Amino acid sequence: MSNRLAYLRRLTASGAVAAALLAPAALVATAAGPALAQEQVQKGGTLNVIVQPEPPILVLGLNQQGPTQTVAGKIYEGLLRYDHDLNPMPGLAESWEVSPDGLTYTFKLRRNAKWHDGTPFTAKDVVFTTSKFLPEVHPRARANFSHVESIEAPDDYTVTFKLKQPFPAFMKAFEVSSAPMMPAHIYEGTDYKQNPKNSTPIGTGPFKFEQWVKGSHIHLVRNADYYLDGKPYLDGIYFRVIPDAASRALALESGQVDISQFNDVEPFDVPRLKELPHLTMTTKGYEFVAPLSWIEINTRTAPLDDKRFRQALAHGLNREFIRDRIWFGLGRVATGPVNSVTPFYEPDVPQYEYDTDKAEELLDEMGLEADGSGVRAEITLTPMPYGETWARLGEYIKQSWGKIGVKVNLESTDVAGWVQKVSNWDYRATNNFVYQYGDPSLGVARTYISDNIRKGVMFSNTMGYSNPKVDELFAKAAVENDPKQRGAQLSEAQKILVGDMPVIWLLEMEFPTFVNKRVHNAVTTAIGTSENFADTWVEKKK
Amino acid sequence: MAAIASFLGRRLIKSVFILFAIVVINFLLVRAAPGDPAMVMAGEAGAADQQYVEQLREQFGLDRPLYEQLGIYLADVATGDLGYSYRQQRPVWDLIADRLPPTLILTGCAFILALTAGILLGTLAAMNVGRWSDTAITVLALLSYATPIFWVGLMLILLFSVQLGWLPAFGYETVGGGYEGLDRAADIATHLILPVVTLGLFYMAVYARLTRASILEVRDMDFVKTARAKGLTETRIVFRHVLRNAILPVITFAGIQAGQLVGGSILVETVFAWPGIGRLAFDAVLQRDYQVLLGIFFVTSVMVIVFNIITDLVYSLVDPRIEVA
């Protein structure tokens, strides 16, 4: 509930423009909810969805990239799904129970779920997936299930996880990309990555794999044996690979595709597409990943090792400008390490408004004198090689910091080079954005704790930030079963972090999901269009 | 005939050595780029740990010393095996075999369009030099040459797909159309028009300008005057005497273009979501999918060598004074 309140607060606070932008989205969201259940659902029809870039493989257990999830999220399922406020909903588990001491999680499974090859889905699959398959190949699941002492299946349709100590975030570990259920009868005893069946994925979801024309499209068809009566409504889904951003916008415009998500559409195309009568736009459906963008700083070398310098850099950026002019109004200015849609968000932290005087004061305090050309310090920024918008951001940062006497040299790379540089700490500053996965213990702590300073590993604590107090608070919060205490620990950690500024938080990112108006129920949960589309239906073309 | 056979024999032997050198150099060049496929996949995954990256390296065979990897690769290529893409979970041959035909159709059509239209327009311009039709053709050629290919493509999509709705905006065929036989060919043909025009315009401009310039150079030579003095018709003079002599630079350039078919199509394939080999190569570079990249280099090197041989043969056909050697 607190999330929703925060959401409303933001709505009023961000003024009339933002309200006007969000109002249609909110209307769609309510319209797509229960109200529409009364409207006549039409069966049949196919959807065209953009998938970009082309996923390497569709076995979700082996690969969890965004595009893989977009497609494979319809084939595979997790035990739980999550609504927009991150409350669990039934998935392959019909009901669940957590013992008061927070140590035992019991799931009751659906009795009529089947794998696409006809084999029944049972507790054996869950035990195999969570105790063998995922811990071997899935980095995030490996961490989540490391808290488990034992996994048992008292009968075919019950699974019990016993934890070593309380780990409240465990409830968020069962979403489809975090823990996709894999068929034991296909993978048990094989080399998972080399299994020949990997090219024809078998899941329990509402859609079955039909055909993959590399470079062109992936075709899924309706699973007639799906366990929910009458669902799915669609006959099939085509996922179209369209590499060029301008072509993707044109494809939406001309109606050749029905849905786009994440960064399919570049921010500068958003205002134009939003005007089109046959499209709706929503920014809902990203609550689970809750991406947060920041400027990552290698805190190992001077002057970046001084928090006053980092604070000065923060004051030297106008983040409203970044949101309004570079992201065309998409997103909210971030206040700290936790996204406001993620539980345990703490709003009461030091604020870093745009103020070049304050920035210069801090630099003066450090004794950084300007040389003849007004330069106090020089750093290299390696912009994230994820498209136009990030390049624009890099140019803006260069210009802004130049005004406070920090000269920025831009260094460009491609993805492989960027990952190599950042993960091997061979950088000074870069942009990044990271997912939160519904709980600070899952998606936030990992970036700031000293244990996770590991050379060569991306999305670890590559800044080299280390604060024993923060380590302690995150460690305690991870195993604290009392939500109140846990909240207090996480709040304190956030306050310390915002003071220390190991990274400069920029935006709580919002992605535009464009949906053709003839498509209903496209975004219904916290994972948006990565959801399984069992409820999605289309109006017949007239 | 014997001359041609011995020419082909010598060129083939040379080609084998060239190919060997290409494979080794490519292998080393590709490895010189920072990062490796495991890094890319870790970067794309959004979360990674040491074990994940190490597993990938082991799976890709990247944990072995470089010379060992090179040895394995050379031995594989010698037996006609281009390796396996772990990223795409398919043999490299299959990937290339799937993606080569769309590219060959696209670039082949664009090549023919560019060559015929270019030579015709160039000839026309040269015959009417200084008049309005010459100016019009020159301006058209200049515009097509100077406008970025992707922009032309987008404008064509905007006009013919979005505004007029006549032609499909992208793709190789109607997805889910279920066409067979002739219907399918017609469907592919409608999808071909925009990308072929986009890609063809640029080269058409080049050929038009080359032809025009070359004809202007040749048309005042003595043998043309002789022909004219013999009382031949102007058309016959142009096609039998002038063009035949003027066409050599065009052939040279066409030979080069044929070799560049794959590279030049990357932009067009990207704009039109054409499932061709140019995009496969581009993605493979970004993803450091070494095996696929090397496989494409290998196949395209073979193509370039073949086109070079064909160009040399065509020279001798057009101008018998040139001997194959």
Side-chain angles (χ1 to χ4, degrees):
Chain A
M1 212 44 219
S2 63
N3 283 325
R4 191 164 274 164
L5 279 175
Y7 179 73
L8 284 175
R9 259 207 309 277
R10 272 196 318 278
L11 243 180
T12 34
S14 49
V17 180
L21 294 183
L22 283 167
L27 280 177
V28 174
T30 36
L36 250 172
Q38 272 84 43
E39 200 175 305
Q40 192 57 47
V41 168
Q42 297 180 20
K43 290 189 82 164
T46 50
L47 265 190
N48 284 287
V49 180
I50 296 174
V51 61
Q52 180 57 35
E54 188 163 17
I57 178 177
L58 292 181
V59 181
L60 195 49
L62 295 175
N63 182 293
Q64 297 84 39
Q65 292 171 25
T68 310
Q69 206 194 330
T70 303
V71 182
K74 280 80 185 155
I75 301 172
Y76 294 95
E77 294 180 302
L79 292 184
L80 299 177
R81 305 186 305 145
Y82 300 87
D83 67 16
H84 290 299
D85 294 323
L86 300 175
N87 300 311
M89 303 193 294
L92 276 171
E94 223 162 24
S95 62
W96 53 92
E97 218 171 87
V98 185
S99 66
D101 61 3
L103 288 174
T104 312
Y105 287 67
T106 309
F107 293 89
K108 292 278 179 201
L109 308 180
R110 304 229 182 233
R111 287 174 176 267
N112 51 352
K114 275 192 201 135
W115 295 102
H116 292 160
D117 60 3
T119 314
F121 165 77
T122 65
K124 185 170 170 261
D125 296 303
V126 182
V127 174
F128 164 74
T129 303
T130 54
S131 67
K132 291 193 184 136
F133 189 97
L134 296 178
E136 189 177 324
V137 296
H138 189 317
R140 238 168 350 104
R142 178 153 53 228
N144 290 345
F145 289 104
S146 69
H147 296 268
V148 173
E149 171 92 46
S150 68
I151 307 171
E152 272 157 36
D155 62 61
D156 266 2
Y157 298 99
T158 311
V159 178
T160 309
F161 294 87
K162 285 215 166 35
L163 305 192
K164 294 171 189 157
Q165 51 197 336
F167 180 56
F170 198 56
M171 206 57 210
K172 303 279 166 57
F174 294 95
E175 167 267 346
V176 64
S177 86
S178 309
M181 290 301 130
M182 304 299 296
H185 65 282
I186 287 175
Y187 286 100
E188 193 143 36
T190 68
D191 178 353
Y192 309 141
K193 288 188 173 170
Q194 317 275 359
N195 193 310
K197 292 277 178 63
N198 285 348
S199 54
T200 49
I202 298 283
T204 57
F207 294 92
K208 298 204 272 194
F209 175 79
E210 172 76 16
Q211 191 199 20
W212 185 349
V213 180
K214 295 260 177 175
S216 171
H217 63 273
I218 301 167
H219 185 197
L220 305 185
V221 293
R222 184 171 192 272
N223 172 10
D225 276 342
Y226 194 55
Y227 52 80
L228 295 176
D229 242 0
K231 292 180 184 177
Y233 302 123
L234 298 167
D235 287 337
I237 308 172
Y238 287 100
F239 293 92
R240 310 289 305 266
V241 184
I242 309 174
D244 182 59
S247 304
R248 289 196 291 273
L250 289 174
L252 278 171
E253 200 169 341
S254 64
Q256 290 196 358
V257 295
D258 303 304
I259 295 177
S260 75
Q261 50 158 359
F262 282 95
N263 33 24
D264 286 346
V265 171
E266 290 278 2
F268 49 78
D269 276 328
V270 169
R272 179 169 63 90
L273 293 181
K274 240 173 14 188
E275 298 299 315
L276 295 177
H278 69 285
L279 293 177
T280 62
M281 189 194 96
T282 175
T283 53
K284 284 181 82 83
Y286 300 98
E287 294 83 2
F288 191 80
V289 290
L292 192 69
S293 67
W294 62 52
I295 300 173
E296 197 156 316
I297 289 168
N298 191 339
T299 62
R300 294 173 184 84
T301 49
L304 293 163
D305 57 347
D306 190 323
K307 75 175 176 189
R308 288 172 300 181
F309 190 75
R310 303 193 294 264
Q311 289 168 342
L313 293 182
H315 280 300
L317 286 181
N318 185 345
R319 290 175 290 171
E320 274 87 15
F321 179 91
I322 293 175
R323 180 196 56 201
D324 296 338
R325 298 277 175 250
I326 301 178
W327 262 270
F328 288 82
L330 289 168
R332 305 172 292 268
V333 169
T335 57
V338 176
N339 190 317
S340 57
V341 298
T342 304
F344 303 106
Y345 164 73
E346 173 56 66
D348 180 25
V349 291
Q351 306 291 319
Y352 292 86
E353 72 283 10
Y354 176 55
D355 189 340
T356 48
D357 293 339
K358 252 189 202 158
E360 303 223 41
E361 256 168 53
L362 284 160
L363 295 177
D364 286 339
E365 199 185 309
M366 285 174 67
L368 287 175
E369 300 290 335
D371 67 7
S373 45
V375 175
R376 297 165 183 262
E378 193 170 337
I379 59 171
T380 302
L381 177 77
T382 315
M384 194 175 185
Y386 279 38
E388 278 292 292
T389 309
W390 296 97
R392 294 293 90 76
L393 176 65
E395 288 156 14
Y396 169 74
I397 293 171
K398 179 185 167 92
Q399 212 175 18
S400 274
W401 286 352
K403 287 185 194 149
I404 56 168
V406 177
K407 187 178 172 196
V408 176
N409 301 308
L410 293 176
E411 176 192 47
S412 56
T413 57
D414 68 352
V415 174
W418 178 72
V419 172
Q420 167 148 321
K421 276 183 174 296
V422 177
S423 61
N424 287 314
W425 313 339
D426 176 23
Y427 76 104
R428 307 300 298 281
T430 183
N431 323 109
N432 205 345
F433 70 91
V434 171
Y435 293 163
Q436 312 233 310
Y437 300 116
D439 192 286
S441 296
L442 299 182
V444 179
R446 59 180 176 143
T447 340
Y448 307 101
I449 55 176
S450 317
D451 275 358
N452 210 18
I453 301 179
R454 290 180 298 165
K455 201 167 191 166
V457 183
M458 199 56 193
F459 305 109
S460 59
N461 182 350
T462 41
M463 298 87 76
Y465 171 76
S466 178
N467 182 335
K469 184 71 193 161
V470 171
D471 291 347
E472 188 196 325
L473 287 167
F474 274 129
K476 274 189 186 159
V479 299
E480 175 57 65
N481 202 34
D482 176 14
K484 228 176 167 175
Q485 292 231 23
R486 193 162 181 246
Q489 289 154 352
L490 289 170
S491 289
E492 198 184 340
Q494 288 175 63
K495 287 179 183 173
I496 299 174
L497 280 171
V498 176
D500 282 352
M501 281 252 130
V503 301
I504 298 167
W505 299 280
L506 296 177
L507 298 179
E508 299 177 2
M509 297 175 73
E510 286 185 323
F511 292 107
T513 300
F514 283 98
V515 181
N516 194 304
K517 282 195 179 139
R518 68 187 195 99
V519 181
H520 297 262
N521 289 358
V523 175
T524 55
T525 68
I527 59 169
T529 50
S530 300
E531 191 48 72
N532 66 19
F533 277 13
D535 298 309
T536 310
W537 59 276
V538 291
E539 286 169 36
K540 299 250 155 44
K541 278 181 182 151
K542 281 157 202 143
Chain B
M1 232 31 231
I4 291 182
S6 90
F7 163 76
L8 282 180
R10 267 177 291 131
R11 286 294 287 262
L12 279 179
I13 294 167
K14 255 192 226 165
S15 305
V16 172
F17 285 103
I18 294 173
L19 264 180
F20 176 79
I22 288 174
V23 169
V24 174
I25 293 170
N26 280 341
F27 185 90
L28 298 174
L29 270 182
V30 163
R31 295 307 173 96
D36 63 31
M39 287 251 167
V40 176
M41 291 190 82
E44 289 167 337
D49 59 10
Q50 197 69 45
Q51 196 182 337
Y52 182 72
V53 176
E54 271 160 23
Q55 276 174 354
L56 287 175
R57 290 232 167 88
E58 196 185 291
Q59 189 191 7
F60 296 154
L62 297 171
D63 50 344
R64 302 176 188 218
L66 192 62
Y67 66 87
E68 217 173 280
Q69 294 180 43
L70 175 61
I72 294 171
Y73 187 70
L74 283 174
D76 283 351
V77 172
T79 60
D81 177 7
L82 290 184
Y84 188 81
S85 166
Y86 286 103
R87 189 184 168 94
Q88 308 225 31
Q89 298 274 324
R90 285 187 69 192
V92 173
W93 264 127
D94 287 9
L95 285 167
I96 294 178
D98 272 2
R99 304 288 281 266
L100 199 55
T103 296
L104 289 180
I105 292 174
L106 169 66
T107 50
C109 291
F111 184 69
I112 292 167
L113 172 79
L115 207 55
T116 46
I119 293 176
L120 274 177
L121 286 175
T123 312
L124 209 63
M127 285 169 74
N128 299 302
V129 69
R131 275 180 258 170
W132 68 268
S133 54
D134 174 35
T135 317
I137 290 169
T138 310
V139 168
L140 174 73
L142 198 65
L143 273 180
S144 327
Y145 186 77
T147 319
I149 281 189
F150 70 92
W151 196 77
V152 172
L154 286 174
M155 289 307 115
L156 289 177
I157 294 180
L158 208 55
L159 180 61
F160 290 102
S161 305
V162 179
Q163 296 296 328
L164 299 172
W166 291 351
L167 292 168
F170 58 82
Y172 177 67
E173 57 188 314
T174 306
V175 166
Y179 297 118
E180 300 280 347
L182 272 182
D183 287 342
R184 181 160 180 244
D187 181 48
I188 294 176
T190 57
H191 282 81
L192 256 174
I193 295 173
L194 292 183
V196 162
V197 170
T198 307
L199 187 61
L201 271 183
F202 176 83
Y203 287 106
M204 183 203 76
V206 175
Y207 296 134
R209 294 198 59 116
L210 273 176
T211 310
R212 180 177 175 277
S214 183
I215 286 181
L216 290 182
E217 213 171 283
V218 174
R219 65 166 188 173
D220 292 329
M221 288 189 172
D222 290 345
F223 70 91
V224 182
K225 285 181 189 151
T226 313
R228 204 165 270 132
K230 282 196 294 185
L232 293 179
T233 62
E234 194 62 18
T235 325
R236 196 171 160 81
I237 292 171
V238 167
F239 283 98
R240 288 288 301 174
H241 298 271
V242 178
L243 197 55
R244 188 149 179 187
N245 283 285
I247 205 81
L248 283 180
V250 178
I251 294 174
T252 310
F253 197 85
I256 296 172
Q257 189 208 342
Q260 289 176 336
L261 285 180
V262 171
S265 65
I266 292 181
L267 273 178
V268 172
E269 288 182 3
T270 304
V271 170
F272 290 96
W274 194 260
I277 205 163
R279 253 174 67 208
L280 184 67
F282 187 65
D283 290 343
V285 173
L286 289 185
Q287 296 157 351
R288 303 285 190 274
D289 199 343
Y290 297 144
Q291 303 282 323
V292 175
L293 197 55
L294 290 172
I296 295 170
F297 284 162
F298 181 80
V299 171
T300 50
S301 308
V302 171
M303 280 166 58
V304 170
I305 290 172
V306 170
F307 285 128
N308 271 324
I309 297 176
I310 293 175
T311 312
D312 287 350
L313 286 176
V314 172
Y315 272 148
S316 69
L317 287 179
V318 173
D319 190 343
R321 285 170 302 177
I322 300 173
E323 277 173 34
V324 285

